[in-house]
Amino acid sequence: MDNLTHSLVAAVMGRMGLKRLSPRAMPAMILAANLPDIDSFVAGAVGCEPIAAHRGITHGLLGTPLMALLAVAIICIWERFRSGKEGPLKLGGLLLACYLAALSHPMLDLTNTYGTRVLEPFSHRWFYADTLFIMDPWIWIALILGLEMSWRAQRLGRDWQRPAAWAFTAVLLYIGLNAAISARAVALTRPLVERVATPRMIVAGEVPLVFWKRRVIWRGDEVGGTGTYNPLAGLNHASLDPWIVPLRLGDPRLAAAAKRDAHVRAFLYWSRMPMVHVQDRRAWLTDQRFFDPDREGGGNFFIRLDNPGPSS
């Protein structure tokens, strides 16, 4: 998810009562909720490809507590130079609050089709929940309203934790609803795909803003395509788009590029639905999740195979 969502979730968790665990818990939690994304920035410095490093070790079983410790260390350093008026830090409570905030980051990232490696470093497997788009304004609205009502309740001397808890619960229910929509989309699309090819993978991709719709991406052994599911148009109706694309994973240019180009190997490590797109006799490696035949150039995440180097 985007960093605004991570920050808002951490703030709401703090307003639910976690900020009571220690002075400066709120800024520490917001920091901890965003720290896992440092992987993309430090990857190049340690000789790793950012696309392969992102959502890896800092999002995993070992990285999550380390991110919490890092957040606590930053707050402690800040405290030495500029002490707050709330009293001394309570390190145990601060660490617990930061751990829960840091844990929320990979759990949120897990909800979209991009995926995350939550078992790092013990397993390099990617996990995907196919539930939310990477930026969801409906979640922003719910969390911002919850924070505003919490602050207002505190100013009026009322229970300020309850509005934050309501907002957090609403987001959880919203995620559950989206998970059910995605599952229904896959179930209805499968028999349609079976008429064309043996389905090897069907992914219910989220559509920005219109959360109830799904862009369904499917693939067999040699070909792939897309479809649409809109429960407002019929709970039991899904459709396939007329176009079908060859995956071309046997293209010799892919094997040759993978041998000579570390960026290609990193892309294949990250890619969930790799495919080779050929245009004007040139070959490009891309991912079916982000490929659009109706868009000029085919979409984003393109790597030229017969002339190494990323392109868009």
Side-chain angles (χ1 to χ4, degrees):
M1 302 295 288
D2 63 287
N3 292 103
L4 175 58
T5 301
H6 290 304
S7 299
L8 289 173
V9 167
V12 165
M13 291 172 65
R15 298 295 300 183
M16 288 169 62
L18 289 179
K19 79 185 193 79
R20 294 179 180 272
L21 294 177
S22 171
R24 268 74 71 200
M26 282 288 282
M29 290 178 66
I30 294 173
L31 179 62
N34 285 279
L35 275 176
D37 280 341
I38 64 173
D39 51 9
S40 295
F41 299 99
V42 302
V46 297
C48 296
E49 292 283 345
I51 198 170
H54 188 41
R55 296 196 178 184
I57 184 66
T58 60
H59 292 61
L61 293 176
L62 182 60
T64 299
L66 288 178
M67 294 301 100
L69 283 170
L70 180 57
V72 170
I74 292 172
I75 294 298
C76 287
I77 293 172
W78 176 264
E79 186 72 7
R80 293 194 62 180
F81 291 98
R82 189 172 181 176
S83 298
K85 300 178 181 179
E86 304 173 63
L89 300 177
K90 300 177 182 178
L91 291 182
L94 189 63
L95 182 59
L96 175 59
C98 286
Y99 174 74
L100 293 175
L103 183 63
S104 73
H105 187 114
M107 294 299 99
L108 284 169
D109 283 354
L110 185 64
T111 61
N112 48 64
T113 58
Y114 195 101
T116 189
R117 303 194 300 275
V118 293
L119 298 182
E120 286 278 9
F122 307 105
S123 171
H124 303 316
R125 179 184 172 186
W126 288 87
F127 291 86
Y128 317 86
D130 303 334
T131 301
L132 300 178
F133 188 63
I134 197 168
M135 298 173 66
D136 195 316
W138 301 107
I139 289 182
W140 298 344
I141 292 171
L143 295 175
I144 290 172
L145 285 176
L147 289 172
E148 173 59 29
M149 289 188 293
S150 176
W151 289 323
R152 181 173 298 182
Q154 186 173 17
R155 289 194 297 268
L156 296 175
R158 299 173 182 171
D159 183 356
W160 50 267
Q161 295 179 221
R162 184 175 298 176
W166 286 346
F168 192 82
T169 302
V171 169
L172 291 180
L173 292 174
Y174 176 76
I175 292 173
L177 172 63
N178 276 272
I181 294 173
S182 292
R184 187 59 177 164
V186 171
L188 290 174
T189 302
R190 186 173 299 278
L192 302 179
V193 175
E194 289 174 345
R195 301 174 189 175
V196 181
T198 301
R200 298 304 181 190
M201 187 183 301
I202 302 176
V203 173
E206 313 82 5
V207 179
L209 289 178
V210 284
F211 68 87
W212 55 90
K213 289 186 178 181
R214 291 295 181 271
R215 177 178 179 260
V216 184
I217 311 147
W218 63 268
R219 65 199 275 129
D221 293 320
E222 303 290 339
V223 297
T226 60
T228 302
Y229 175 62
N230 181 0
L232 298 185
L235 288 175
N236 299 317
H237 176 72
S239 62
L240 296 186
D241 295 325
W243 59 268
I244 296 175
V245 296
L247 303 180
R248 295 191 177 96
L249 295 179
D251 192 308
R253 288 171 289 189
L254 174 58
K259 288 182 179 180
R260 68 173 181 261
D261 191 340
H263 191 38
V264 172
R265 293 193 295 272
F267 190 96
L268 289 171
Y269 172 71
W270 161 81
S271 181
R272 182 182 184 184
M273 306 178 80
M275 62 175 286
V276 175
H277 176 58
V278 176
Q279 185 175 0
D280 299 328
R281 297 184 180 180
R282 295 177 178 176
W284 311 80
L285 174 62
T286 185
D287 189 290
Q288 199 179 345
R289 292 171 294 175
F290 309 105
F291 177 74
D292 184 355
D294 295 326
R295 182 176 175 182
E296 184 178 356
N300 301 316
F301 294 98
F302 267 53
I303 301 178
R304 179 82 173 272
L305 294 178
D306 42 11
N307 183 20
S311 181
S312 60

